[in-house]
Amino acid sequence: MIRAFYGSSFTYNGETGEQDYNSERMKDFFTACKAMDSIGAEVGVTAIWSMSSLIKNSPSTNTDNFQLGCPGIVVKDDWNATLKNYREFMKNTVLSLKANGVNNLKYFFAYTECNNSFNGDDLDSNGNPTDTIVGDREYDRLYPLYNDLITALDGGLKDAGLRDQYKIVGPCDNWRADDGSEPISLLVKYTVENLADKVDIIGSHNGYDRANEYVNDMYYEIPPQKLTYPMEQAKKIGKEYWIDEYNVATTVYGYEKKRIAVQNPWKGVAVGAMMNSVMNMGDVSNLFLWTLWDEQWPDNTNNDK
């Protein structure tokens, strides 16, 4: 299965100010999905990557190739109009997928690390975002906005008459930086308690399991400590539990921050230990290995480096 980016930067026409679901970018997207289908791979995409771009009241018209915003959707100072546009965007997205023969895209991730939506509003003395802590995340402010967007996403799929053909995975939050006051991420808890009728699969990022050295066998021991409780909560309401970003690192993780490939071969062993541990637990239905920053993938375009 492939987890990929999707957003209105694929559809928005900056000249007309309209969404074009047959744009060149969308045609490329359809082609990529069909290529995955040809090898038997299902696809899950972001239902707009950044929740923060929807709620921070700053309309975007940027259509750069990897624009993480949502051009053409946000209406400044009008949350209800933004929600209406978003619902319409998701309706037309799935109608366009079906019209173009894309049948292996079955999942929408909502929304990537959405509990960081307000993180960075406050800057330190050097102008850098403050550390991610629960206080910065303003959960009481976040919950109703997240609820509104999930409701709009669910509504858009229903408006298209295709709700039963897609699954919503949420909240896809960045759990690892919560303050430990709960044995479960706060947005997972909120989703389980309030949105079980709209979210089909409980998904959360568990970030990096950390030990002092990659040879440390704690990488097998950590997952049950972190995952048992949230898995049980998802299971109680009849939901699958997905980990939509996971990896391992050492406590000194400069490589990942600098986006430099980790050279230590023991990292592969540590990843294997972590994944074996999760598989042996039994109740995690899916796990996506987050390797964008820290793996080398040899190919014939860079002399196998």
Side-chain angles (χ1 to χ4, degrees), residues 121-166:
D121 281 358
D122 299 319
L123 303 179
D124 63 21
S125 59
N126 295 316
N128 298 313
T130 54
D131 289 339
T132 302
I133 57 174
V134 169
D136 290 333
R137 285 178 164 174
E138 302 182 58
Y139 279 100
D140 289 342
R141 181 182 172 198
L142 187 67
Y143 289 145
L145 299 172
Y146 168 70
N147 194 314
D148 284 348
L149 287 169
I150 290 290
T151 300
L153 170 57
D154 175 69
L157 302 183
K158 288 177 177 175
D159 293 346
L162 296 169
R163 183 62 181 88
D164 62 337
Q165 297 188 41
Y166 297 93

Short mmCIF file of all heavy atoms in Angstrom, two decimals, residues 121-166:
data_model
loop_
_atom_site.label_atom_id
_atom_site.label_comp_id
_atom_site.label_asym_id
_atom_site.label_seq_id
_atom_site.Cartn_x
_atom_site.Cartn_y
_atom_site.Cartn_z
N ASP A 121 2.75 29.17 16.61
CA ASP A 121 2.16 30.50 16.70
C ASP A 121 3.03 31.41 17.57
O ASP A 121 3.10 32.61 17.37
CB ASP A 121 0.75 30.42 17.31
CG ASP A 121 -0.28 29.97 16.29
OD1 ASP A 121 0.10 29.77 15.12
OD2 ASP A 121 -1.45 29.82 16.65
N ASP A 122 3.66 30.79 18.59
CA ASP A 122 4.54 31.54 19.48
C ASP A 122 5.98 31.24 19.11
O ASP A 122 6.36 30.10 18.91
CB ASP A 122 4.27 31.13 20.93
CG ASP A 122 2.84 31.44 21.35
OD1 ASP A 122 2.35 32.52 20.97
OD2 ASP A 122 2.25 30.60 22.04
N LEU A 123 6.80 32.28 19.04
CA LEU A 123 8.20 32.13 18.66
C LEU A 123 9.11 32.44 19.84
O LEU A 123 8.76 33.24 20.72
CB LEU A 123 8.53 33.06 17.49
CG LEU A 123 7.68 32.90 16.23
CD1 LEU A 123 8.11 33.91 15.19
CD2 LEU A 123 7.77 31.48 15.68
N ASP A 124 10.28 31.79 19.87
CA ASP A 124 11.24 32.09 20.93
C ASP A 124 12.03 33.35 20.57
O ASP A 124 11.77 34.01 19.55
CB ASP A 124 12.16 30.89 21.17
CG ASP A 124 13.02 30.54 19.95
OD1 ASP A 124 13.22 31.41 19.08
OD2 ASP A 124 13.51 29.41 19.90
N SER A 125 13.02 33.67 21.37
CA SER A 125 13.76 34.92 21.18
C SER A 125 14.55 34.95 19.88
O SER A 125 14.93 36.01 19.40
CB SER A 125 14.72 35.14 22.37
OG SER A 125 15.62 34.04 22.48
N ASN A 126 14.79 33.76 19.30
CA ASN A 126 15.51 33.69 18.03
C ASN A 126 14.57 33.61 16.82
O ASN A 126 15.03 33.42 15.70
CB ASN A 126 16.43 32.47 18.03
CG ASN A 126 17.53 32.59 19.08
OD1 ASN A 126 18.13 33.65 19.23
ND2 ASN A 126 17.77 31.50 19.80
N GLY A 127 13.28 33.72 17.08
CA GLY A 127 12.32 33.67 15.99
C GLY A 127 11.96 32.27 15.54
O GLY A 127 11.32 32.09 14.49
N ASN A 128 12.33 31.26 16.34
CA ASN A 128 12.00 29.88 16.01
C ASN A 128 10.74 29.43 16.75
O ASN A 128 10.46 29.92 17.85
CB ASN A 128 13.16 28.94 16.38
CG ASN A 128 14.42 29.28 15.61
OD1 ASN A 128 14.38 29.47 14.39
ND2 ASN A 128 15.54 29.38 16.32
N PRO A 129 9.98 28.49 16.16
CA PRO A 129 8.78 27.99 16.86
C PRO A 129 9.15 27.39 18.21
O PRO A 129 10.20 26.76 18.37
CB PRO A 129 8.24 26.92 15.91
CG PRO A 129 8.78 27.28 14.57
CD PRO A 129 10.14 27.88 14.83
N THR A 130 8.28 27.60 19.19
CA THR A 130 8.50 27.01 20.51
C THR A 130 8.34 25.50 20.42
O THR A 130 7.75 24.97 19.49
CB THR A 130 7.50 27.57 21.52
OG1 THR A 130 6.18 27.38 21.01
CG2 THR A 130 7.72 29.05 21.75
N ASP A 131 8.87 24.79 21.43
CA ASP A 131 8.77 23.34 21.46
C ASP A 131 7.30 22.92 21.46
O ASP A 131 6.44 23.60 22.01
CB ASP A 131 9.45 22.76 22.70
CG ASP A 131 10.96 22.87 22.62
OD1 ASP A 131 11.47 23.00 21.48
OD2 ASP A 131 11.61 22.85 23.66
N THR A 132 7.03 21.76 20.86
CA THR A 132 5.68 21.24 20.79
C THR A 132 5.29 20.65 22.14
O THR A 132 5.83 19.63 22.56
CB THR A 132 5.56 20.15 19.71
OG1 THR A 132 5.94 20.71 18.47
CG2 THR A 132 4.15 19.63 19.62
N ILE A 133 4.38 21.30 22.83
CA ILE A 133 3.84 20.78 24.07
C ILE A 133 2.33 20.96 24.05
O ILE A 133 1.79 21.68 23.21
CB ILE A 133 4.43 21.49 25.31
CG1 ILE A 133 4.18 23.01 25.22
CG2 ILE A 133 5.92 21.21 25.45
CD1 ILE A 133 4.61 23.76 26.48
N VAL A 134 1.63 20.29 24.95
CA VAL A 134 0.17 20.33 24.92
C VAL A 134 -0.35 21.75 25.02
O VAL A 134 -1.30 22.13 24.36
CB VAL A 134 -0.41 19.46 26.06
CG1 VAL A 134 -1.91 19.69 26.21
CG2 VAL A 134 -0.16 17.99 25.75
N GLY A 135 0.29 22.58 25.85
CA GLY A 135 -0.17 23.96 25.99
C GLY A 135 -0.18 24.71 24.68
O GLY A 135 -1.08 25.49 24.40
N ASP A 136 0.86 24.49 23.87
CA ASP A 136 0.94 25.16 22.58
C ASP A 136 -0.11 24.64 21.60
O ASP A 136 -0.48 25.32 20.67
CB ASP A 136 2.31 24.97 21.95
CG ASP A 136 3.41 25.73 22.68
OD1 ASP A 136 3.10 26.75 23.31
OD2 ASP A 136 4.55 25.27 22.63
N ARG A 137 -0.55 23.42 21.82
CA ARG A 137 -1.45 22.80 20.85
C ARG A 137 -2.90 23.26 21.01
O ARG A 137 -3.70 23.03 20.13
CB ARG A 137 -1.35 21.28 20.98
CG ARG A 137 -0.05 20.76 20.36
CD ARG A 137 0.10 19.29 20.51
NE ARG A 137 1.13 18.80 19.60
CZ ARG A 137 1.57 17.56 19.58
NH1 ARG A 137 1.08 16.67 20.39
NH2 ARG A 137 2.50 17.21 18.73
N GLU A 138 -3.25 23.85 22.11
CA GLU A 138 -4.57 24.48 22.29
C GLU A 138 -5.70 23.52 21.89
O GLU A 138 -6.51 23.81 21.02
CB GLU A 138 -4.66 25.77 21.49
CG GLU A 138 -3.60 26.80 21.84
CD GLU A 138 -3.75 28.08 21.04
OE1 GLU A 138 -4.82 28.70 21.11
OE2 GLU A 138 -2.79 28.45 20.34
N TYR A 139 -5.74 22.38 22.57
CA TYR A 139 -6.70 21.35 22.18
C TYR A 139 -8.16 21.82 22.24
O TYR A 139 -8.96 21.46 21.39
CB TYR A 139 -6.51 20.11 23.04
CG TYR A 139 -5.37 19.24 22.56
CD1 TYR A 139 -4.12 19.28 23.18
CD2 TYR A 139 -5.53 18.40 21.47
CE1 TYR A 139 -3.07 18.50 22.73
CE2 TYR A 139 -4.48 17.61 21.01
CZ TYR A 139 -3.26 17.67 21.65
OH TYR A 139 -2.22 16.89 21.20
N ASP A 140 -8.50 22.62 23.23
CA ASP A 140 -9.89 23.08 23.33
C ASP A 140 -10.29 23.90 22.11
O ASP A 140 -11.44 23.88 21.68
CB ASP A 140 -10.09 23.91 24.60
CG ASP A 140 -10.05 23.05 25.86
OD1 ASP A 140 -10.20 21.82 25.72
OD2 ASP A 140 -9.85 23.60 26.95
N ARG A 141 -9.34 24.60 21.55
CA ARG A 141 -9.58 25.38 20.33
C ARG A 141 -9.56 24.47 19.10
O ARG A 141 -10.29 24.70 18.13
CB ARG A 141 -8.48 26.44 20.23
CG ARG A 141 -8.56 27.37 19.03
CD ARG A 141 -7.37 28.31 19.07
NE ARG A 141 -7.24 29.11 17.87
CZ ARG A 141 -6.12 29.74 17.51
NH1 ARG A 141 -5.05 29.68 18.30
NH2 ARG A 141 -6.07 30.46 16.40
N LEU A 142 -8.73 23.42 19.16
CA LEU A 142 -8.54 22.53 18.02
C LEU A 142 -9.71 21.57 17.81
O LEU A 142 -10.12 21.32 16.67
CB LEU A 142 -7.24 21.75 18.20
CG LEU A 142 -6.77 20.89 17.04
CD1 LEU A 142 -6.36 21.76 15.86
CD2 LEU A 142 -5.60 20.02 17.48
N TYR A 143 -10.24 21.01 18.89
CA TYR A 143 -11.26 19.96 18.77
C TYR A 143 -12.44 20.34 17.88
O TYR A 143 -12.80 19.58 16.97
CB TYR A 143 -11.78 19.57 20.15
CG TYR A 143 -10.81 18.80 21.01
CD1 TYR A 143 -10.79 18.99 22.40
CD2 TYR A 143 -9.91 17.89 20.47
CE1 TYR A 143 -9.90 18.29 23.21
CE2 TYR A 143 -9.02 17.19 21.28
CZ TYR A 143 -9.02 17.40 22.64
OH TYR A 143 -8.15 16.71 23.44
N PRO A 144 -13.10 21.49 18.09
CA PRO A 144 -14.27 21.80 17.24
C PRO A 144 -13.91 22.01 15.78
O PRO A 144 -14.70 21.67 14.89
CB PRO A 144 -14.85 23.07 17.87
CG PRO A 144 -13.75 23.65 18.68
CD PRO A 144 -12.92 22.51 19.15
N LEU A 145 -12.72 22.56 15.50
CA LEU A 145 -12.30 22.76 14.11
C LEU A 145 -12.03 21.42 13.43
O LEU A 145 -12.43 21.19 12.28
CB LEU A 145 -11.06 23.64 14.06
CG LEU A 145 -11.22 25.06 14.63
CD1 LEU A 145 -9.86 25.76 14.71
CD2 LEU A 145 -12.19 25.87 13.80
N TYR A 146 -11.35 20.54 14.13
CA TYR A 146 -11.09 19.19 13.62
C TYR A 146 -12.41 18.46 13.37
O TYR A 146 -12.59 17.81 12.33
CB TYR A 146 -10.22 18.45 14.64
CG TYR A 146 -10.10 16.96 14.43
CD1 TYR A 146 -9.38 16.43 13.36
CD2 TYR A 146 -10.66 16.06 15.35
CE1 TYR A 146 -9.25 15.06 13.19
CE2 TYR A 146 -10.53 14.70 15.19
CZ TYR A 146 -9.83 14.20 14.10
OH TYR A 146 -9.71 12.84 13.94
N ASN A 147 -13.34 18.58 14.30
CA ASN A 147 -14.66 17.95 14.15
C ASN A 147 -15.37 18.49 12.91
O ASN A 147 -15.94 17.71 12.12
CB ASN A 147 -15.49 18.23 15.41
CG ASN A 147 -16.72 17.35 15.50
OD1 ASN A 147 -17.46 17.19 14.53
ND2 ASN A 147 -16.97 16.81 16.67
N ASP A 148 -15.32 19.80 12.72
CA ASP A 148 -15.96 20.41 11.54
C ASP A 148 -15.39 19.87 10.24
O ASP A 148 -16.13 19.58 9.28
CB ASP A 148 -15.78 21.93 11.57
CG ASP A 148 -16.69 22.63 12.57
OD1 ASP A 148 -17.61 22.00 13.08
OD2 ASP A 148 -16.43 23.83 12.83
N LEU A 149 -14.06 19.73 10.19
CA LEU A 149 -13.42 19.28 8.94
C LEU A 149 -13.70 17.81 8.67
O LEU A 149 -13.95 17.42 7.52
CB LEU A 149 -11.92 19.55 9.01
CG LEU A 149 -11.53 21.02 8.89
CD1 LEU A 149 -10.06 21.23 9.23
CD2 LEU A 149 -11.81 21.54 7.48
N ILE A 150 -13.67 16.98 9.70
CA ILE A 150 -14.01 15.56 9.52
C ILE A 150 -15.45 15.44 9.03
O ILE A 150 -15.77 14.65 8.13
CB ILE A 150 -13.82 14.78 10.82
CG1 ILE A 150 -12.34 14.66 11.17
CG2 ILE A 150 -14.47 13.40 10.73
CD1 ILE A 150 -11.55 13.74 10.26
N THR A 151 -16.34 16.26 9.60
CA THR A 151 -17.75 16.24 9.19
C THR A 151 -17.89 16.66 7.74
O THR A 151 -18.68 16.08 6.98
CB THR A 151 -18.57 17.17 10.11
OG1 THR A 151 -18.46 16.70 11.46
CG2 THR A 151 -20.04 17.18 9.70
N ALA A 152 -17.12 17.67 7.32
CA ALA A 152 -17.18 18.12 5.92
C ALA A 152 -16.61 17.05 4.98
O ALA A 152 -17.16 16.82 3.89
CB ALA A 152 -16.39 19.42 5.77
N LEU A 153 -15.53 16.41 5.37
CA LEU A 153 -14.96 15.34 4.57
C LEU A 153 -15.95 14.19 4.41
O LEU A 153 -16.21 13.71 3.30
CB LEU A 153 -13.66 14.85 5.22
CG LEU A 153 -13.03 13.57 4.67
CD1 LEU A 153 -12.72 13.70 3.18
CD2 LEU A 153 -11.76 13.24 5.46
N ASP A 154 -16.51 13.76 5.52
CA ASP A 154 -17.51 12.70 5.49
C ASP A 154 -18.71 13.10 4.63
O ASP A 154 -19.21 12.32 3.82
CB ASP A 154 -17.97 12.42 6.93
CG ASP A 154 -19.09 11.41 7.04
OD1 ASP A 154 -18.86 10.22 6.76
OD2 ASP A 154 -20.21 11.82 7.41
N GLY A 155 -19.13 14.36 4.76
CA GLY A 155 -20.26 14.86 3.98
C GLY A 155 -19.98 14.91 2.49
O GLY A 155 -20.84 14.60 1.67
N GLY A 156 -18.75 15.30 2.13
CA GLY A 156 -18.39 15.35 0.71
C GLY A 156 -18.44 13.98 0.06
O GLY A 156 -18.93 13.83 -1.07
N LEU A 157 -17.96 12.97 0.76
CA LEU A 157 -18.02 11.61 0.22
C LEU A 157 -19.46 11.14 0.09
O LEU A 157 -19.83 10.45 -0.88
CB LEU A 157 -17.23 10.65 1.12
CG LEU A 157 -15.74 10.98 1.35
CD1 LEU A 157 -15.08 9.91 2.20
CD2 LEU A 157 -15.01 11.15 0.03
N LYS A 158 -20.30 11.51 1.06
CA LYS A 158 -21.72 11.15 1.00
C LYS A 158 -22.42 11.89 -0.14
O LYS A 158 -23.26 11.31 -0.85
CB LYS A 158 -22.40 11.47 2.33
CG LYS A 158 -22.00 10.52 3.46
CD LYS A 158 -22.64 10.94 4.78
CE LYS A 158 -22.29 9.94 5.88
NZ LYS A 158 -22.81 10.39 7.20
N ASP A 159 -22.09 13.17 -0.32
CA ASP A 159 -22.71 13.95 -1.40
C ASP A 159 -22.43 13.32 -2.76
O ASP A 159 -23.26 13.41 -3.67
CB ASP A 159 -22.17 15.39 -1.39
CG ASP A 159 -22.60 16.19 -0.17
OD1 ASP A 159 -23.51 15.74 0.54
OD2 ASP A 159 -21.99 17.24 0.08
N ALA A 160 -21.27 12.69 -2.89
CA ALA A 160 -20.91 12.05 -4.15
C ALA A 160 -21.59 10.69 -4.32
O ALA A 160 -21.51 10.08 -5.40
CB ALA A 160 -19.39 11.87 -4.23
N GLY A 161 -22.23 10.21 -3.25
CA GLY A 161 -22.85 8.90 -3.28
C GLY A 161 -21.85 7.77 -3.23
O GLY A 161 -22.16 6.64 -3.64
N LEU A 162 -20.64 8.07 -2.70
CA LEU A 162 -19.56 7.09 -2.74
C LEU A 162 -18.96 6.82 -1.36
O LEU A 162 -17.87 6.28 -1.25
CB LEU A 162 -18.45 7.59 -3.67
CG LEU A 162 -18.82 7.74 -5.15
CD1 LEU A 162 -17.73 8.49 -5.91
CD2 LEU A 162 -19.05 6.37 -5.78
N ARG A 163 -19.70 7.16 -0.31
CA ARG A 163 -19.14 7.04 1.04
C ARG A 163 -18.69 5.63 1.37
O ARG A 163 -17.68 5.42 2.05
CB ARG A 163 -20.17 7.51 2.08
CG ARG A 163 -19.64 7.48 3.53
CD ARG A 163 -18.48 8.43 3.69
NE ARG A 163 -17.91 8.43 5.03
CZ ARG A 163 -16.95 7.62 5.43
NH1 ARG A 163 -16.44 6.71 4.60
NH2 ARG A 163 -16.46 7.69 6.66
N ASP A 164 -19.40 4.63 0.87
CA ASP A 164 -19.07 3.26 1.22
C ASP A 164 -17.83 2.73 0.49
O ASP A 164 -17.35 1.64 0.78
CB ASP A 164 -20.25 2.33 0.93
CG ASP A 164 -20.64 2.30 -0.54
OD1 ASP A 164 -20.32 3.27 -1.26
OD2 ASP A 164 -21.27 1.32 -0.98
N GLN A 165 -17.30 3.52 -0.45
CA GLN A 165 -16.14 3.06 -1.22
C GLN A 165 -14.82 3.65 -0.72
O GLN A 165 -13.76 3.35 -1.27
CB GLN A 165 -16.34 3.40 -2.70
CG GLN A 165 -17.55 2.68 -3.30
CD GLN A 165 -17.64 2.86 -4.80
OE1 GLN A 165 -16.63 2.82 -5.51
NE2 GLN A 165 -18.85 3.05 -5.30
N TYR A 166 -14.89 4.48 0.31
CA TYR A 166 -13.68 5.10 0.85
C TYR A 166 -13.69 5.03 2.37
O TYR A 166 -14.75 5.06 3.00
CB TYR A 166 -13.58 6.57 0.41
CG TYR A 166 -13.47 6.73 -1.08
CD1 TYR A 166 -14.60 6.93 -1.87
CD2 TYR A 166 -12.23 6.64 -1.71
CE1 TYR A 166 -14.50 7.05 -3.25
CE2 TYR A 166 -12.12 6.76 -3.09
CZ TYR A 166 -13.26 6.95 -3.84
OH TYR A 166 -13.15 7.06 -5.21
#
